Structures are given as C-alpha cells and as structure tokens.
Amino acid sequence: MQVLRRALWAMPAFLAIALTCLATTRAAVPPRKSNGLTDVVQWDNYTLFLHDQRMFLYSGEFHTFRLPVPELWLDIFQRMVAAGMNGVSIYIHWGLTNPAPGVFDFDDWRAIQPIFDAAKLAGIFVILRPGPYINAETTAGGLALWSTSLVEGAVRTNTTSWNSAYQPYVSRIIEAAKPNQVTEGGPMLLLQIDNEYSQTPAPNAEYFADLETQYRSNGIVVPLTYNDPGERMQFVNGTGAPDLYGLDFYPNNFNCTPGPFWNPVPTNFHEYHLETAPERPFFLPEFQGGSNDYWGGPGYDRCRERIGPDFEDVYYKNNWASNAKMQSVYMFYGGTNWGGIAYPGAYTSYDYSGAIKETRVLWEKYDEMKRQAMFIRSSPSFRKTDWIGNTNQSDPQTLYSGVALSGKDGNKTFATYLQNPDTGTGFIIARQLNGTSIDNVSFKLTIPSSRGPLDIPQHVPDISLNGRQSKVIVSDYTFGASGSLLYSTAPIFFAGTIGPRDVLFVYGESDQSHELSVELRGSGARINSKRVLYTESRDAITTISISPQPGWNGLLTLWESSTQLILFADPTTTATFWAPPVRAPTKNTVPGLETFWQFGTNTTVLVGGPYLVRNATLEDGGRVLAIRGDLNASVPLAVVAPESVKSVTWNGARVSVRTTGTGMLSGRLNVSPKIKQVKVPQLKGWKYADSLPEVKDGYDDSNWVVADHTSTNITIPPAFGDGRVLYGCDYGFCENNIFWRGHFNATGSETGVNLTINGGTAFAASVWLNDVFLSTVSDFSAAGETNALFSFPASALRPGEDNVLTILQDHMGNDEGQNQKSDRGIRGFALVGSAANFSAWKVQGKYGGYLGYPDKVRGVLNEGGLFAEREGWHLPGFPTHTVDFMSRDLSLGLPGGRAGVGFFTTTFDLNIPQDLDAMFSFEFDKGAQKTGEPYRALLFVNGWKFGKRVANVGPQARFPVPPGILDYRGTNTLAVALWAMEDTPVHPTLELVIEGIVQGGVGVISTNNPCWTPRTRE
C-alpha cells in the first residue's frame, strides 16, 4: 500500500542491535533528588520523574510573542505534539509586557494564561523562560527598553536600581505561573532563571540568587533551571545555582553562508556531564535547532541546507549517545520579528530554519523530528540507560569487550553503546567517524545479547550509512504487552499496543538492506515479496531480512496476526503516519493531565496519509474513530485501530473505509476542490502621500521633545559635542525610526557638520539641511555606528537665520549580550567652518513614546517615528480623503525620484472558506533578495508592522503574515512606508502570494485589529 503526503528528504535508517547480557540481579536504584519543595517533580542521574514516572523530555522552542495571534498557539502546540514532542520552551518578553515603569500589560497576545490553556489542551509541558533577560535575538535581549536608560549602572547584577526595575515584573510572572505548575495540575514543568550568564563577578551570582529567592518565597515550587552557553561550567553549584544545570550548545554556529558545510560533531558531552552535574540528568535546554540569519545574509533556504534533517539525525542522536535525556531544540517554530522586536543582527523573519517554517508549513525537518520523537515516546527502556562506552579513537573498531565494528568500513564508523540496567535493552548509536562526511559507508557489528554473542546482520550484507546519517541499533527490545525484538537494523518509528495487538513499525532507506530478529506471535500472515526473506531459528525467533529496492516507497506488512502487527516503510512514507494520543483514563492518569501522553493516556492509533493529524478520539463505545487534522491533497488513508473500530470520521465527516486486515482499515481522504479555488487578489488602487514634512520650510517642531540632557545612564558616553546627550531612549524613544532636528543660527561660514550616528548593525540615516538632502550613511559592523562629514551646499545655508539639520535614523534595536544599554542616537555633533553651535536639539520617535503610545493592542514596539505612523495612517479606517493623498502605484516610487519618505496605502478583500488554512506572504520585487535599489520599506498589514524590506542589502523579500493579522473573510488594509535613501528613482513592487494551503486548521481565528482614531498633533 502506498501512502503519500509530499516529497520529502529521505531520513537515515535506524539500525538496531546491541544485545546485552541480562543481569541476574536488578541494578541498584539511584537515589532520587528534589528541591525539597515538592516531590511531584524529582530527578536522578538519568531523567526527571513526574508523579513517580520517569520521563524523557523532548522539547522545542516557540515564542508566542513572535506569533501575536493567540488562537494559533494551539496550532503550533498541536503540531509539536503530533510530532511526538512532549515539551515546549517559551520565552516571555519583559520589554513587551512592562512597557514603562510601573505599567504592566499582559493583555491580548501578551497574556500568559492562554499559553498554559493551549498547552494543556494540546497535551504538552511548558518550560517557562521569563528572563528578565532572554537574549533570543531580541532588542536588548528582551529587557524592558526603559530599563536600559533609567537603571543606574549595570543591568543583571545585584544593585538597588536593577532590582527595583525587574522585581515587579517577576512578581507578575509568579502570579501567572503559580497556579499552572504541574503540582497544581497545570502544564508548567520547569522555570528557567534568566539566561546565559556568568557567575562572576559576585553580584552576578547574587542577582541569580535574588531571582530564585523571589520565585521560591512566592510559591514557585517546580525545579528552577539554567542554560550555560558553551561548556563554561557556570551556575553548576554555588551562589545562584538553580536545581538543574543545563548545557546550551550550537555546534554549527550562526552563519548560513557555508551552506552544507558542517563543524565537527562534539565527542566530549558525556565526559562534560560527568565533570559538571553527574548526579542530575544531562540537560540540553538549548540545542541548535536552526540558525538566525543576518542582514545581507544568504537567506533561510541556505540555513536549511546547513541545519536540515540530516543535521538533526546526526547531532541529536549524538546527544542521545551522550546519555542526554532532556533536550530542547532552539527553534522548533521561529515566527516573525515584527515591529521592533529584533536586535540589530536579525531581520524581520525569524524562521530560524526550524522544523516548522515561519509560514507554518511543515517540511522534511519536521518529519525527522517526528521519527525521532516517536521512537523516544515508544521506548520506555530508553529513558534509563547507562553509558557503557564509545569507539576508541586509537582503535576505532572496538567499543568495549563484546561489541565490535567490522566489515568494509568498520574503521570509518563511530558508535556508542548504551544499556538499560533494569531490562538489559541495548542501544548502539552509530554514525560515521567523521561525522561531517558525505560518503556512503557500510559495516557489521558483533554484539552481546541475551542469547549470546551475535554477528549482525546475519542474512543481508551489511548495515549502511548514507552520508550524514545516524542509526540507533537496538537489542533485547520489548514492545507492547509481550512483543520482543532480539535485534533490528531497521529504525523503530512506533512500538506499542493498539487494542489487543502489539504493534511494531520500523523503517529504512529503500537503497539499503535491513534486518530484524523478532518473536512472531499468533497465527498470522507474512508478505509475499522477493525483497523480504524470513529465516526461522530453533528458539522461535524469526529473522526478517529486507533487500534494497532503490526508488521504492510504500508500506509493507511484514507480519499480521490478531495479537501482533509488524510494518515496514521507507522514511518518506513513515513520515505520513501519525500516532495521536487518544484520551482514555488509566489507573495512573494524573488529574489535570488527561490529554498528556504517558501521564493521562497510553492509548493511541496509527493514521497514515494526512498532512497533519491534530487529535483523535474513540466515540460511540469505541466503534467510531474520530480524527481531526489537515489535508493539502487527496490521499489514501490507512488506519491501525482497535478491532472495535468499524467506522472513521475526518473532521466530522464520515469516511468510507474497508477492512484490509485484522484491525486495519483503509480508505481515501478527498480534499475539497475549494483548496484550488482560493483567489489571490492583486494589490492595486494604491494611494500616496508625502510622509516627510519635517524637512519642509515652516515645519513646526515646537511640541517635540527638547533633547537637553547632560548626563545618561546608557553605558557608552557621547563621543563629542557640547555636553548634550542625544540618545533616543533617554527621551522615551527606544525603537524604530527616530527623527532629530538640530537648530542653529548660521553665520554663513559653516561648510558642513560632523556627525557620529549610532543605530546598530545595518542601520541607515539620512540627513537634510533645511529642505536640501545631503546624504545617507549606513554601517554594517557590529558597532552599528558611523562618523561622517556632511557638507553643506552653499545654496542650502541661510546666513543670519534659523537653520535646521534634520536626521532620520533607523534604530535597528538594542544589542543583546554585553551592550543592552545601547547608545542609539547622535553620539557626536559639531558644525564645521564656524564657531557656531546648535541652539536646540529636538527629538521625535513614535507617538507618545513608551509612556503614552496609544495603540495598546499592537503594543509598545509596533510603531516608529515616521510622520505617517505618528498620524496613524497605517491603521485600518484612516480617512485618506482628509489628507493630500493621490492615486499613485507603489512601483512608481516617490515623485521626482528624490530622496525622502512616502506613504502608500490600499485595501484588498479576502474570502477564504472557514475550513481552509491558507499561508500568505507579501513579496517585494518578485522575490529578489537584493535589487540594489537604495530604499527601505516598512510593511503594515491591518496596522501591524510585519516587515522591513532593505532592497540594497537583503536578503528578505518575502514576508509571511498569519491569519488573525490578515482578515481571511473581510477587507484588509495594506500600507507601505517607502524611504528612498538617495536622489535616485526606486521602483518597488509588491504582490500577495500563497505559501501553502490546507483544509482543516485549528479552528476559528479571530482578528483584533483596532481601527484609526484621531490623534492630537505633536
């Protein structure tokens, strides 16, 4: 039977044999530990325990603030659970929720309770990471931007000023988190203390200790954790050390330019764990799940080449080989750096080449995560393993006595042997000795087993690795109620019980041979295929050997009886199968965790074919299997369910199915023709108005903020000037575009002005004298600063009069790391050719600054200081007839082809049927990463700033926008603020494109796009 979803990269095949002699006496039970506040969550040297059950935590990162549509959080959680993940790691952004001193905003998409509610509904545990510092490629690393200006001295240290800034925020976090802990039946399993820091000097550690005390003294009892970047051994023990130490590691770094080039695979993780925290589980709270891309970078397609499914296959299983039983990948879903969220090193997209694309489209990396997570979920014996040994580099064919590599490329293979001390189950994790090699290799194994030493495979030539591939070879592996594998060189996707049957689902590459040795149970049928050989032994073990058939894909039923089912498929077909938890209480069901696998239910089914299965339930006394999920095409349906199931529904509609075996049903899921009838509207009917009145004669800036501070708490002082400090955040303007206007009475001898402008990496600034454009500067260094002489044309200077120097600056965000208190603004100013000085400096950023911005829904980082933004032209319902708007197509650029800022707006209608989930993007310039045209454009969709296009830098030309921001069944307001940076015509184009479309979805997605209301002129 053939089951197809979409063309996917083939995933490496798993091997499986490393048989271990069963001990005659049970292994000693290691002591459990806890924080003394609760026994609901405990740990030993292997894993966490939750409600006395050992658990392997396999988690992924998702930032809800990067997807500001709360109904879609459930969508992401369901996709993660469908992939077999049981944890989600979530940052909370202090700066977004505490926009001004004493002002807290946990409403709308900043709310925390909907996160927990959606996680509980989906059945996924939450690792909460509320900072205050989160890093995360966010402006100031997530610190409240006002704190970078108002806090005296350093941040993240034990000082009165810093403590008084962050502690009220943490109090609100505690209020939200306390009732949602697993101890209260909620989904919050762990809480992280701050992020990536150093224990020295001492005030750093004291700050961590203060944080922990605040949490503990106010009712947070779950374990507190820490992520240590790069094996620095910080906060393992001593002042500020939390309950659980974790290693933060990115082996392929953050540069996607090399494409498929890899760094060496780490080989010291197990030793590092023994050196740091051997009495605690080996925890990787941040392991590379992708990479951030940067301004002018190669784009995320290149990142997907570098950190794709093969990276997951080799590096993640290498973590398993180090005996890690707690891992979270960063990112699983990246989302969007909309508004002013990003730090200077990141552009709008935060796709991160995660397992789920920014558009929410699934791809091959998601499939590999699912194959891994389903194996973990299916293998209780893998939760507790001893690290026995790995390939000795000086003798690469020997693991330890009794386990050896041989064959053609045995000396090119690296393997690690793990063993469960209670069950004797063995796991050999094999990859190439040179983990970055793209060569194909083959080898054989000698392993000990409960039936004596074995040379495997026995009836096929070898075990193969296709380039960057890793395999888990299991031995003495049990599945279901009574199933038993002696060994298998085919990877395990699923193992468990469905109804009365033990089910084993293995898979492997079609161009490789595979073998499993299993005790076949019941009276059943074997497949009649030339590819498959069955060899009986005298001890009731049958070895099933599968020969290569390059190019084949499909599903083989190797054995089927009333008590046992064994399936084999290629990796692509395997990825079309799902095993949703089916809610069914057990004697061990934990109140509040009814939807969670292992803790609420151990009942499941196998569903093959759909693009996504979100959940499944048994109805009508178990006779009806009700499945909900998504389709992107019509597909065959394969179901393995209890024998009681006689009918199937898909999203509420009955599906015609027939029995194809004992407990196996087949049918077809037909996608609605509506999926091909979705029409993408053309973006036309543009209206245009000038958005740079600040450089015109007579412009009144009397209501702007006077920039006259002579001191600052920002770390780096001004470079030169007259003592006035011109840093935007000191005046309430901490993000996005900022205007500066310097007034001086000209003597006539002035020839120019010397300016040092700081805006962060990839910033730009344009300068005018009166109404004459002088020049635009930019900088792509880490400093994000430039010093330049702006010469005055004689015709521009007005001797004896008030002259105005206008500077439009693009604030790219504050740095993260050590310079969160970034010096964004004018660091130096001096007129040239005259002793005259500036009589006044004025500054204007977003309307109201962080103290008085009016758009509380979209929040503190959505708007900037462009005139159109301050007036609210980007908002739905703005009456364009009240301003001097005219018809002008966006592709015509600014009138006259001069430097300046113009504002374009239009509307378009969508009518997407309720049961369709369409993924839309806005594409500039036919998708060209870099056109060379000197313009920057801000993209507003229904008032939300969802894109910054820099055409002469790139790489982003396509900007995804989710439903909820887009109104799928109504009128949408689209606006573009176009900044032409030179006296050169620019001709941007913009189209709406579909990235993907499925029938199904998570349900109704509401919109919350407040309309324009009049604003008082500054």
Side-chain angles (χ1 to χ4, degrees):
M1 178 179 61
Q2 198 118 341
V3 187
L4 299 177
R5 168 155 62 107
R6 60 195 188 284
L8 302 177
W9 292 8
M11 174 244 166
F14 274 78
L15 273 180
I17 178 168
L19 292 162
T20 310
C21 297
L22 292 171
T24 56
T25 59
R26 189 176 180 85
V29 177
R32 291 195 206 177
K33 296 179 171 26
S34 74
N35 56 23
L37 300 172
T38 179
D39 289 332
V40 171
V41 187
Q42 299 173 301
W43 59 88
D44 62 11
N45 56 305
Y46 298 108
T47 66
L48 286 180
F49 286 85
L50 177 61
H51 290 285
D52 291 324
Q53 297 187 56
R54 191 181 289 281
M55 67 179 295
F56 192 129
L57 180 64
Y58 217 44
S59 172
E61 190 85 14
F62 163 45
H63 303 154
T64 55
F65 60 82
R66 284 185 160 118
L67 183 62
V69 183
E71 290 92 342
L72 290 178
W73 303 345
L74 177 61
D75 176 58
I76 300 301
F77 293 160
Q78 286 181 338
R79 291 168 192 255
M80 295 179 75
V81 172
M85 311 297 284
N86 63 355
V88 58
S89 177
I90 296 177
Y91 277 138
I92 305 298
H93 194 293
W94 176 25
L96 290 168
T97 56
N98 185 189
V103 178
F104 297 94
D105 187 353
F106 287 95
D107 295 327
D108 305 306
W109 53 271
R110 294 164 297 274
I112 295 179
Q113 189 58 46
I115 298 174
F116 292 128
D117 293 343
K120 192 169 181 176
L121 183 61
I124 193 165
F125 292 107
V126 173
I127 305 169
L128 194 68
R129 306 207 294 165
Y133 179 77
I134 62 172
N135 207 64
E137 289 72 61
T138 57
T139 179
L143 300 186
L145 290 174
W146 57 263
S147 74
T148 67
S149 169
L150 298 185
V151 168
E152 300 169 5
V155 296
R156 302 174 73 197
T157 188
N158 184 25
T159 65
T160 300
S161 183
W162 171 244
N163 292 344
S164 64
Y166 82 80
Q167 287 177 350
Y169 160 74
V170 170
S171 294
R172 270 48 176 206
I173 293 294
I174 293 170
E175 290 174 9
K178 183 178 176 180
N180 290 286
Q181 298 175 96
V182 288
T183 54
E184 305 297 322
M188 192 179 83
L189 179 67
L190 304 170
L191 188 145
Q192 182 177 297
I193 296 298
D194 201 78
N195 191 75
E196 300 174 342
Y197 208 33
S198 171
Q199 238 167 331
T200 56
N204 291 9
E206 292 166 359
Y207 156 56
F208 266 49
D210 287 345
L211 259 176
E212 292 159 12
T213 298
Q214 187 175 2
Y215 281 119
R216 291 308 190 206
S217 61
N218 289 283
I220 298 299
V221 299
V222 297
L224 301 179
T225 70
Y226 170 68
N227 64 322
D228 186 19
E231 300 182 331
R232 298 190 307 175
M233 295 188 179
Q234 298 297 296
F235 296 101
V236 177
N237 297 295
T239 302
D243 301 312
L244 297 174
Y245 168 84
L247 173 62
D248 177 321
F249 209 86
Y250 290 76
N252 250 2
N253 307 123
F254 302 101
N255 185 352
C256 297
T257 302
F261 174 80
W262 278 6
N263 293 332
V265 179
T267 58
N268 70 323
F269 279 178
H270 175 65
E271 290 78 8
Y272 181 76
H273 176 226
L274 295 181
E275 291 173 10
T276 51
E279 78 288 355
R280 289 171 273 185
F282 187 21
F283 182 22
L284 293 159
E286 271 194 45
F287 194 83
Q288 188 159 21
S291 176
N292 178 51
D293 196 28
Y294 49 87
W295 291 104
Y300 279 112
D301 285 343
R302 194 75 168 164
C303 295
R304 293 185 188 105
E305 294 177 17
R306 183 163 166 78
I307 308 168
D310 53 350
F311 175 89
E312 294 175 317
D313 189 24
V314 172
Y315 285 84
Y316 296 177
K317 290 174 187 170
N318 184 67
N319 295 342
W320 301 0
S322 302
N323 227 11
K325 305 299 185 187
M326 300 173 66
Q327 173 179 303
S328 190
V329 297
Y330 187 106
M331 301 287 298
F332 199 89
Y333 172 77
T336 305
N337 286 320
W338 61 277
I341 285 175
Y343 92 125
Y347 48 85
T348 304
S349 177
Y350 200 65
D351 179 274
Y352 217 83
S353 65
I356 304 174
K357 293 184 179 182
E358 181 184 6
T359 57
R360 295 180 295 118
V361 168
L362 307 180
W363 66 297
E364 294 90 337
K365 196 168 175 180
Y366 176 90
D367 297 336
E368 171 60 19
M369 286 299 295
K370 181 168 71 168
R371 288 185 289 257
Q372 292 186 17
M374 289 306 303
F375 165 73
I376 290 172
R377 200 187 89 174
S378 298
S379 306
S381 58
F382 196 49
R383 298 172 194 161
K384 180 182 180 182
T385 56
D386 288 326
W387 189 92
I388 305 300
N390 66 14
T391 302
N392 185 327
Q393 298 286 345
S394 62
D395 184 11
Q397 291 184 257
T398 301
L399 280 180
Y400 76 103
S401 179
V403 177
L405 293 158
S406 60
K408 174 176 171 289
D409 299 308
N411 63 342
K412 297 179 181 179
T413 307
F414 184 94
T416 302
Y417 186 65
L418 308 176
Q419 180 191 36
N420 185 296
D422 300 327
T423 66
T425 304
F427 302 87
I428 286 182
I429 301 172
R431 59 170 173 83
Q432 294 204 45
L433 182 63
N434 174 6
T436 70
S437 171
I438 59 174
D439 295 334
N440 293 343
V441 299
S442 60
F443 62 96
K444 293 187 176 184
L445 273 172
T446 300
I447 59 172
S449 79
S450 57
R451 302 186 183 226
L454 290 174
D455 295 323
I456 62 168
Q458 297 181 349
H459 304 289
V460 294
D462 47 41
I463 303 165
S464 299
L465 296 172
N466 289 356
R468 293 168 169 176
Q469 185 176 22
S470 182
K471 292 187 175 182
V472 179
I473 302 159
V474 301
S475 63
D476 286 333
Y477 180 95
T478 60
F479 62 96
S482 57
S484 177
L485 268 175
L486 183 59
Y487 68 87
S488 174
T489 68
I492 295 170
F493 171 67
F494 174 86
T497 300
I498 298 178
R501 286 200 299 184
D502 295 337
V503 179
L504 179 69
F505 191 146
V506 297
Y507 66 99
E509 304 287 353
S510 61
D511 62 351
Q512 298 177 349
S513 56
H514 310 280
E515 191 170 273
L516 59 154
S517 191
V518 60
E519 183 178 354
L520 301 180
R521 292 182 174 270
S523 177
R526 306 177 179 188
I527 191 170
N528 183 14
S529 170
K530 293 180 180 180
R531 289 188 64 198
V532 183
L533 173 68
Y534 296 82
T535 305
E536 309 287 351
S537 69
R538 288 175 296 177
D539 51 4
I541 295 293
T542 300
T543 300
I544 305 174
S545 306
I546 304 167
S547 299
Q549 186 178 336
W552 173 85
N553 57 62
L555 181 70
L556 301 177
T557 302
L558 301 178
W559 175 253
E560 181 179 9
S561 73
S562 61
T563 58
Q564 196 175 66
L565 177 65
I566 302 176
L567 304 172
F568 173 84
D570 64 281
T572 302
T573 300
T574 301
T576 70
F577 274 81
W578 311 86
V582 176
R583 188 163 173 166
T586 72
K587 65 179 181 179
N588 295 320
T589 294
V590 177
L593 304 183
E594 291 83 2
T595 59
F596 289 71
W597 181 260
Q598 182 182 348
F599 302 96
T601 182
N602 289 308
T603 299
T604 189
V605 294
L606 282 172
V607 181
Y611 178 83
L612 174 67
V613 171
R614 295 180 181 273
N615 53 63
T617 57
L618 292 171
E619 300 176 351
D620 192 20
R623 289 182 288 273
V624 177
L625 176 63
I627 312 169
R628 303 201 71 85
D630 298 356
L631 292 177
N632 66 345
S634 297
V635 292
L637 173 68
V639 174
V640 180
E643 290 185 15
S644 62
V645 173
K646 305 302 180 185
S647 62
V648 174
T649 63
W650 172 259
N651 291 338
R654 185 63 61 95
V655 179
S656 177
V657 294
R658 65 184 183 279
T659 301
T660 57
T662 307
M664 295 189 67
L665 302 172
S666 65
R668 186 170 182 81
L669 298 176
N670 293 310
V671 72
S672 169
K674 295 183 293 186
I675 203 169
K676 295 183 178 180
Q677 297 169 2
V678 172
K679 298 187 183 303
V680 181
Q682 290 186 331
L683 305 178
K684 55 186 180 180
W686 291 95
K687 295 182 179 180
Y688 166 82
D690 178 72
S691 182
L692 192 64
E694 294 90 350
V695 301
K696 294 180 179 178
D697 285 343
Y699 181 79
D700 182 7
D701 63 12
S702 59
N703 289 328
W704 285 26
V705 176
V706 177
D708 59 358
H709 293 187
T710 57
S711 63
T712 182
N713 289 317
I714 291 173
T715 307
I716 300 176
F720 58 91
D722 62 4
R724 281 176 286 187
V725 178
L726 305 185
Y727 294 159
C729 208
D730 281 345
Y731 302 97
F733 308 119
C734 305
E735 65 284 301
N736 300 320
N737 295 112
I738 298 173
F739 276 99
W740 301 90
R741 280 167 61 87
H743 294 256
F744 66 95
N745 192 291
T747 66
S749 62
E750 294 84 1
T751 60
V753 63
N754 184 13
L755 297 175
T756 294
I757 308 172
N758 185 294
T761 304
F763 93 99
S766 293
V767 182
W768 288 260
L769 176 61
N770 299 316
D771 59 356
V772 176
F773 173 67
L774 302 182
S775 182
T776 294
V777 294
S778 61
D779 183 72
F780 290 86
S781 71
E785 180 175 286
T786 187
N787 174 260
L789 174 65
F790 297 85
S791 297
F792 293 164
S795 59
L797 196 66
R798 299 170 183 174
E801 299 180 22
D802 180 40
N803 288 252
V804 181
L805 188 76
T806 302
I807 303 165
L808 169 57
Q809 171 189 0
D810 197 356
H811 186 322
M812 306 299 287
N814 280 25
D815 296 334
E816 56 184 14
Q818 298 303 309
N819 188 37
Q820 302 101 320
K821 302 178 77 171
S822 302
D823 46 329
R824 303 292 183 248
I826 313 300
R827 284 199 61 234
F829 57 91
L831 292 169
V832 177
S834 168
N837 196 5
F838 289 92
S839 58
W841 279 99
K842 299 289 190 73
V843 61
Q844 180 63 58
K846 71 166 176 280
Y847 185 89
Y850 63 67
L851 291 173
Y853 65 95
D855 192 346
K856 303 304 183 186
V857 170
R858 297 176 184 90
V860 67
L861 296 183
N862 187 59
E863 295 181 6
L866 296 180
F867 181 79
E869 293 178 277
R870 303 194 313 261
E871 293 291 302
W873 293 0
H874 59 294
L875 298 172
F878 175 76
T880 55
H881 65 275
T882 64
V883 182
D884 191 19
F885 274 86
M886 63 180 182
S887 294
R888 183 177 180 84
D889 195 77
L890 174 65
S891 63
L892 297 176
L894 304 190
R898 308 288 291 177
V901 181
F903 192 81
F904 295 81
T905 185
T906 188
T907 61
F908 63 92
D909 294 334
L910 289 176
N911 185 20
I912 309 300
Q914 183 71 54
D915 63 339
L916 297 187
D917 184 3
M919 295 80 165
F920 287 104
S921 292
F922 291 88
E923 183 179 76
F924 282 91
D925 303 321
K926 303 295 183 181
Q929 285 193 351
K930 186 167 69 171
T931 66
E933 290 194 340
Y935 79 79
R936 296 189 174 211
L938 300 179
L939 175 70
F940 295 90
V941 181
N942 292 322
W944 300 77
K945 188 187 296 182
F946 250 74
K948 179 189 284 190
R949 164 72 165 158
V950 184
N952 61 342
V953 176
Q956 188 172 4
R958 186 173 280 197
F959 297 84
V961 179
I965 303 301
L966 276 172
D967 188 341
Y968 273 22
R969 284 167 289 281
T971 298
N972 294 268
T973 297
L974 179 65
V976 174
L978 179 62
W979 175 5
M981 297 185 291
E982 301 293 346
D983 283 335
T984 301
V986 296
H987 302 284
T989 64
L990 186 64
E991 297 174 286
L992 183 64
V993 297
I994 289 184
E995 303 279 4
I997 186 166
V998 298
Q999 183 182 15
V1002 74
V1004 177
I1005 306 297
S1006 62
T1007 59
N1008 189 9
N1009 302 325
C1011 292
W1012 176 83
T1013 56
R1015 297 182 177 183
T1016 303
R1017 285 287 178 94
E1018 321 115 348

